[in-house]
């Protein structure tokens, strides 16, 4: 867990450094003014819950995915590149690469749980942070990611 926290913190700091060095042009990823974006990041960092918006293990993820109430089944999003996704992904996951999250907000439900995963947890942590900053409070990461899923002996879909 400490290692995950350090990776998440490193990702957040990298993201903040990128913002400081190269502010997001208004016409591209976001129309949020720089001051509001800085405020949103500060609010996100100071209000992190103890679980860091994570689903900690494979069994917990399987329970969220297979909720008895179909309206509350989690949308599983693989934020890896299409070639990685095509080589094998968690069954029923959709592919929205990290770099395209903002352009695909319409594909990310707001009325039910959303779980992001990648290969090691780094990209999914950045994706969770991004979506949380944009007000998507239903988003969690699965830090065991595809490696943890495979290590648990779970099947992949191609």
């Amino acid at each position: 867990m400490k290692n995950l926290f350090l990776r998440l913190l490193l990702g957040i700091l990298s993201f903040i450094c990128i913002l400081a060095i190269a502010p997001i042009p208004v016409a591209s990823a976001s129309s949020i003014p720089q001051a509001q974006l800085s405020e949103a990041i500060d609010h996100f960092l100071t209000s992190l819950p103890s679980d860091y918006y994570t689903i900690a293990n494979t069994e917990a993820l399987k329970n969220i995915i297979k909720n008895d109430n179909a309206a509350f089944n989690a949308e599983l999003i693989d934020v890896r590149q299409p070639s990685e996704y095509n080589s094998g992904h968690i069954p029923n996951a959709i592919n929205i690469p990290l770099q395209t999250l903002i352009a695909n907000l319409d594909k990310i439900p707001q009325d039910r749980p959303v779980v992001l995963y990648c290969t090691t947890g780094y990209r999914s942590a950045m994706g969770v942070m991004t979506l949380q900053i944009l007000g998507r409070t239903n988003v969690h990461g699965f830090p065991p990611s595809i490696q943890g899923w495979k290590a648990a002996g779970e099947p992949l879909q191609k």
Side-chain angles (χ1 to χ4, degrees):
M1 188 63 151
K2 185 177 180 181
N3 189 24
L4 171 65
F5 175 71
L6 291 175
R7 283 193 288 167
L8 177 62
L9 186 57
L10 178 62
I12 291 169
L13 292 174
S14 298
F15 183 73
I16 292 170
C17 287
I18 289 168
L19 290 176
I21 294 168
I24 298 172
V26 174
S28 67
S30 175
S31 61
I32 300 173
Q34 193 69 33
Q36 285 182 329
L37 185 58
S38 294
E39 246 178 74
I41 291 170
D42 183 57
H43 174 71
F44 175 81
L45 293 173
T46 58
S47 64
L48 279 173
S50 61
D51 66 0
Y52 305 107
Y53 303 111
T54 62
I55 308 300
N57 59 57
T58 303
E59 284 305 311
L61 179 63
K62 286 169 45 177
N63 288 335
I64 290 171
I65 293 170
K66 295 179 181 177
N67 187 314
D68 290 337
N69 184 344
F72 292 103
N73 283 348
E75 180 73 62
L76 192 55
I77 300 175
D78 185 324
V79 296
R80 299 177 300 157
Q81 291 300 309
S83 61
E84 294 172 286
Y85 175 83
N86 291 334
S87 70
H89 54 273
I90 297 174
N92 301 314
I94 64 170
N95 183 224
I96 303 176
L98 175 64
Q99 295 86 345
T100 68
L101 279 179
I102 301 299
N104 288 291
L105 285 176
D106 60 325
K107 296 177 184 171
I108 302 171
Q110 296 185 59
D111 59 348
R112 58 191 175 105
V114 173
V115 179
L116 307 181
Y117 77 90
C118 59
T119 302
T120 62
Y122 179 75
R123 288 177 280 185
S124 58
M126 290 183 71
V128 168
M129 181 183 76
T130 300
L131 294 172
Q132 288 279 339
I133 288 171
L134 292 174
R136 302 292 184 98
T137 59
N138 61 325
V139 180
H140 291 80
F142 177 59
S145 292
I146 195 79
Q147 291 179 352
W149 184 262
K150 289 190 294 191
E154 297 296 334
L156 294 179
Q157 183 178 1
K158 288 190 180 186

